[in-house]
Amino acid sequence: RYLRACADAVSVGGQTLRDQPELVPRLGHAGSDLGDVLERFRIDRGLRRLPLQVIYTQSGDLDLSVRLFNTPGVVVVTTDHGARRLRARGGERPGLTLLVAGDVTLGAAEMLHAHRRLFGEFGVRYLDCEGGATILDALHGAGLVDEVFVTVTAVRIDPAEHGGVKRLFDLNAARLIAEGHTAADPDYVFRRFRINER
């Protein structure tokens, strides 16, 4: 939640939103004043009250009735094809911006174009990408990933026995800058890697 509070925008890919339609990356949680505290933290630092929500979708295959689209400040990075599809479903409405970054694909050049526009038009300098693997690979392929946070568990998955297992890009050249554990579950290791030194 602190990472979200420091970010100009929080992003996910379209598949993550389809898999988790109740997803709304908020700062706090029910029964706590954490959200209010983090909103004040942001305002005190000259940031908007809540980070923008950025959704990446090449196809425009999004359900615009999910909760996320009822929150202000949502930017959908898409293609010309995806934007036409979203407009046909009512995608032009207050609080929702369609940012067209390419004709039919969101490759490295299109992602760079989108992020130049996010920076220039929306002031997005720090973006917290929270999933999934496809969009993280696309951002990495465009040279836009500076740090990555990895959770390691004792559970091993054999890709030969499970279809659709995604692999993280190679971290051998990345610099490990932090590692942590929780007393509640020592089988989890949290690692933070620095990829770009900028």
Side-chain angles (χ1 to χ4, degrees):
R1 300 200 188 262
Y2 180 71
L3 286 174
R4 289 178 189 167
C6 292
D8 299 307
V10 177
S11 71
V12 295
Q15 187 60 51
T16 298
L17 190 57
R18 285 188 291 276
D19 292 342
Q20 302 173 50
E22 292 300 310
L23 180 70
V24 179
R26 47 175 65 98
L27 296 177
H29 50 81
S32 166
D33 67 346
L34 179 62
D36 294 335
V37 169
L38 291 177
E39 284 180 26
R40 282 194 303 275
F41 168 85
R42 289 178 58 79
I43 291 166
D44 289 348
R45 281 152 185 78
L47 299 171
R48 49 185 282 145
R49 187 175 68 84
L50 296 170
L52 287 173
Q53 307 296 312
V54 176
I55 312 300
Y56 302 92
T57 175
Q58 198 164 262
S59 66
D61 182 19
L62 297 175
D63 179 356
L64 297 176
S65 69
V66 300
R67 290 177 58 200
L68 181 73
F69 294 111
N70 292 323
T71 61
V74 178
V75 177
V76 176
V77 174
T78 190
T79 60
D80 187 53
H81 167 76
R84 284 195 308 272
R85 189 174 187 182
L86 288 163
R87 286 185 191 109
R89 295 178 175 179
E92 289 188 308
R93 61 173 87 161
L96 174 60
T97 302
L98 301 181
L99 193 158
V100 177
D103 292 331
V104 292
T105 62
L106 291 178
E110 291 82 8
M111 294 299 278
L112 282 168
H113 174 69
H115 281 261
R116 284 190 195 107
R117 288 191 59 196
L118 284 170
F119 177 74
E121 297 171 31
F122 300 92
V124 175
R125 184 172 177 201
Y126 297 107
L127 182 129
D128 172 20
C129 178
E130 297 190 355
T134 301
I135 195 59
L136 185 58
D137 276 343
L139 291 169
H140 181 256
L144 294 167
V145 176
D146 292 331
E147 292 184 359
V148 65
F149 295 76
V150 178
T151 302
V152 181
T153 72
V155 176
R156 309 258 325 151
I157 297 174
D158 182 355
E161 295 182 15
H162 301 276
V165 172
K166 305 271 187 187
R167 292 189 176 275
L168 185 64
F169 47 80
D170 186 13
L171 292 173
N172 286 334
R175 182 168 58 92
L176 180 66
I177 59 174
E179 184 172 273
H181 307 264
T182 63
D185 196 338
D187 285 338
Y188 282 84
V189 179
F190 305 97
R191 293 184 178 144
R192 180 177 180 180
F193 293 90
R194 186 79 183 160
I195 295 170
N196 284 319
E197 301 290 344
R198 50 179 153 198

